[in-house]
Amino acid sequence: MAGETKGKRIDETVVAMRLAEAFRRHGVDHVFGQSIPSAFHLAAPHVGIRQIVYRTENAGGTMAVGYARVTRKVGVVTAQNGPAATLLVRPLAEALKASVPMVALVQDVARSQTDKNAFQEFDHLRLFDSCAKWVRRIEDASRIDDYVDMAFVAATSGRPGPAVLIVPVDLLIEAAGPAPLVPRKNQYGMAPLDRPTPDAAAIATAARLLAEAKAPLVIAGGGVHGSDASAELVRLQETFHLPVATTVMGKGTVSEHHPLSLGVVGYFMGEGGRSRDLRPLIDNADVVLLIGNRTNQNGTDSWSLYPNAATFIHLDVDPMEIGRNYEAVRLVGDARRGIRALGEAMAGLDLSRRVAARPAIEATIAAARAGWESLTARVRTQDAVPIRPERVMAVIDAALTPETIVTTDASYSSIWAANYLTAAEAGARFITPRGLAGLGWGLPLAIGASLARPGAPVITIVGDGGFGHVWSELETLKRLDLPVITIVLNNQILGYQKDSEDALYGEHTDAVYFAPVDHAKIAEACGIRGIRVEDGAALAGVLAEALASGKPAVIDVLTDSGAQPPVTVYAGKFASPF
């Protein structure tokens, strides 16, 4: 650790302690980090901050993402300068795209060694500029509180996202100077920091459009979870008779059992897609209310799903997202405040059209659900060898409780979960990496989520391709002794890559194949119970036992490599399992 003074004691007089105190003031009680910045981690326990030690920085950052998405508190991750810092780019980029409040504390070389090719010196300001909302390097001990406050405000205000604080190693052990005469009291560690209400005239226009529409539709995104606005959305849906669909990140904002809930819509509404037969409700919508919805490629099926002739209303805290892909009535503000204001405005309008339309909408949704259940019944219940992923999802779905948190890896894991697991209650949490959708994030997200909600059952669904990125974090899971159940869909291929190549080119590269791996034995090598399941009939009992144990476990399920989820562009490319 270049530039650090040997034998310097970390006490209340040094900057590291002042820094830890500032973080604690903003509600930080968990920090994901290895040993560096050592001075900070030595100081942090003295103010009530627990260090969660990861094995790799990219996984540690993703743990912070999972923690923040469950709590809406700022997830804090630390790293050393140089190669360790570069590994934070992935999770910070995910947080930036998915609107997750984070602060990364990165140690830098000593100030006197800057631009001298010190050990692992790197230009961190340029490194993080593309993947963070705000990046600063602290140079002066007297500005610690200023910069920490700014970092947390950046993370939690407006559209939440990651902020980065870079601290030279010598500054951490410098004398902090006298404490301020008036200690700071403000806390900025919970998102959303501010809750602006959209313009009243725009709210009135939107309310009138929804009340008078022939066929309105709400499509809720992850911004509803980020604003903790599920209760308000439920009231809007029920009181004003509005059908609600969600994006993958918005899954769980309303109950998927509600008679006006379409479920998840997007790029997987092909044969076997849970919401496939509800596409006419989208095609025929004349007014579409988007809430906390980025209108991204996957959520809109490459911008082909949403009806071009509809009038759009877009409620979002980020003004740049409104109108990005669909010209809309602009409701710039917090989702909770905006939904509440819409409800208040609609309450004074004639809702007879909404009341009259409701029975037909409910009948359409009920028929579509029944049709999906009938179509998929065989693949969801048969105990074939190898096991169909739909069968695995059915077993998981039956085991879910209102307290269960589900995380997934990217790729097929997210799609299977979005289609075949049910958000039985509003507020249910399904944490998927939909910012950049990188592989290897399911297990770290689960660790962060478990720490965020102690005692809650957590199930993570991963493919063998993604899981291979983070086997090392099984040691972390064992050390923390968290009740996380990892279900590996082990088909010995990169399924999405192989199937996409086959669909696009009629052939696939050699890179999609893996040698056989026994993930149960990897778990056992780390001291975690590992179970290999080859027959679907055994899975329910194995999962129930693992959940009842309150201990971590890895269930390695040998799944059918020929199973494709209902990705729309696959239509006609593969044999139907139905």
Side-chain angles (χ1 to χ4, degrees), residues 1 33-42 51 53 78 80 107:
M1 292 175 288
Q34 289 187 346
S35 59
I36 294 175
S38 301
F40 174 81
H41 286 299
L42 289 168
Q51 180 181 4
V53 181
T78 68
Q80 185 179 355
Q107 180 176 288

Side-chain angles (χ1 to χ4, degrees), residues 90-347:
R90 280 185 51 174
L92 290 177
E94 171 71 17
L96 184 68
K97 296 289 286 185
S99 309
V100 181
M102 282 182 68
V103 168
L105 179 65
V106 177
Q107 180 176 288
D108 208 349
V109 300
R111 287 165 291 181
S112 63
Q113 297 175 352
T114 300
D115 293 328
K116 295 181 70 174
N117 286 334
F119 180 64
Q120 297 184 334
E121 181 182 10
F122 199 73
D123 188 342
H124 299 103
L125 291 169
R126 291 181 62 192
L127 172 69
F128 293 121
D129 183 62
S130 67
C131 60
K133 284 180 66 177
W134 181 93
V135 187
R136 293 293 188 278
R137 187 175 192 261
I138 308 176
E139 301 282 354
D140 187 337
S142 68
R143 301 294 308 281
I144 294 296
D145 283 310
D146 294 338
Y147 279 105
V148 171
D149 284 6
M150 284 188 276
F152 278 81
V153 168
T156 58
S157 63
R159 178 177 178 170
V164 180
L165 273 176
I166 303 165
V167 185
V169 63
D170 59 314
L171 179 63
L172 287 165
I173 57 171
E174 187 175 291
L181 294 176
V182 180
R184 300 192 187 199
K185 298 179 181 179
N186 284 358
Q187 299 181 6
Y188 307 131
M190 177 76 76
L193 178 61
D194 308 304
R195 291 188 179 272
T197 302
D199 176 73
I203 286 287
T205 298
R208 177 180 54 78
L209 285 169
L210 289 167
E212 297 176 359
K214 179 181 178 181
L217 176 66
V218 180
I219 307 178
V224 177
H225 281 306
S227 178
D228 192 24
S230 288
E232 283 72 20
L233 182 58
V234 168
R235 282 195 289 272
L236 191 77
Q237 178 184 42
E238 177 57 34
T239 304
F240 303 106
H241 319 287
L242 294 171
V244 177
T246 75
T247 66
V248 176
M249 284 192 67
K251 185 178 178 70
T253 53
V254 294
S255 167
E256 290 175 346
H257 289 314
H258 191 282
L260 288 174
S261 290
L262 282 72
V264 179
V265 300
Y267 69 112
F268 38 72
M269 294 172 70
E271 187 181 29
R274 197 167 192 161
S275 56
R276 183 192 188 191
D277 291 345
L278 293 170
R279 185 151 191 158
L281 288 182
I282 304 172
D283 293 338
N284 297 325
D286 59 342
V287 175
V288 178
L289 170 60
L290 306 171
I291 308 176
N293 182 335
R294 294 175 292 155
T295 65
N296 64 359
Q297 183 173 10
N298 287 354
T300 63
D301 199 5
S302 296
W303 306 284
S304 68
L305 178 62
Y306 295 1
N308 292 327
T311 297
F312 286 86
I313 304 162
H314 199 158
L315 168 58
D316 204 287
V317 74
D318 184 350
M320 294 301 293
E321 290 297 343
I322 300 174
R324 180 187 291 276
N325 293 309
Y326 300 92
E327 190 174 37
V329 175
R330 298 175 61 83
L331 302 183
V332 182
D334 171 63
R336 186 200 286 178
R337 289 282 182 87
I339 296 170
R340 190 177 295 166
L342 267 177
E344 291 170 355
M346 289 186 71

Side-chain angles (χ1 to χ4, degrees), residues 21-43:
E21 290 169 347
F23 274 61
R24 189 70 186 95
R25 173 165 54 87
H26 293 300
V28 175
D29 47 22
H30 292 76
V31 170
F32 298 87
Q34 289 187 346
S35 59
I36 294 175
S38 301
F40 174 81
H41 286 299
L42 289 168

Side-chain angles (χ1 to χ4, degrees), residues 10-72:
I10 305 303
D11 57 23
E12 67 278 0
T13 68
V14 298
V15 165
M17 189 66 73
R18 187 70 53 82
L19 190 65
E21 290 169 347
F23 274 61
R24 189 70 186 95
R25 173 165 54 87
H26 293 300
V28 175
D29 47 22
H30 292 76
V31 170
F32 298 87
Q34 289 187 346
S35 59
I36 294 175
S38 301
F40 174 81
H41 286 299
L42 289 168
H46 294 283
V47 297
I49 297 176
R50 180 186 178 191
Q51 180 181 4
I52 307 298
V53 181
Y54 53 72
R55 296 300 295 262
T56 64
E57 284 75 14
N58 52 10
T62 307
M63 293 173 198
V65 170
Y67 180 87
R69 284 184 62 178
V70 172
T71 62
R72 293 183 295 111

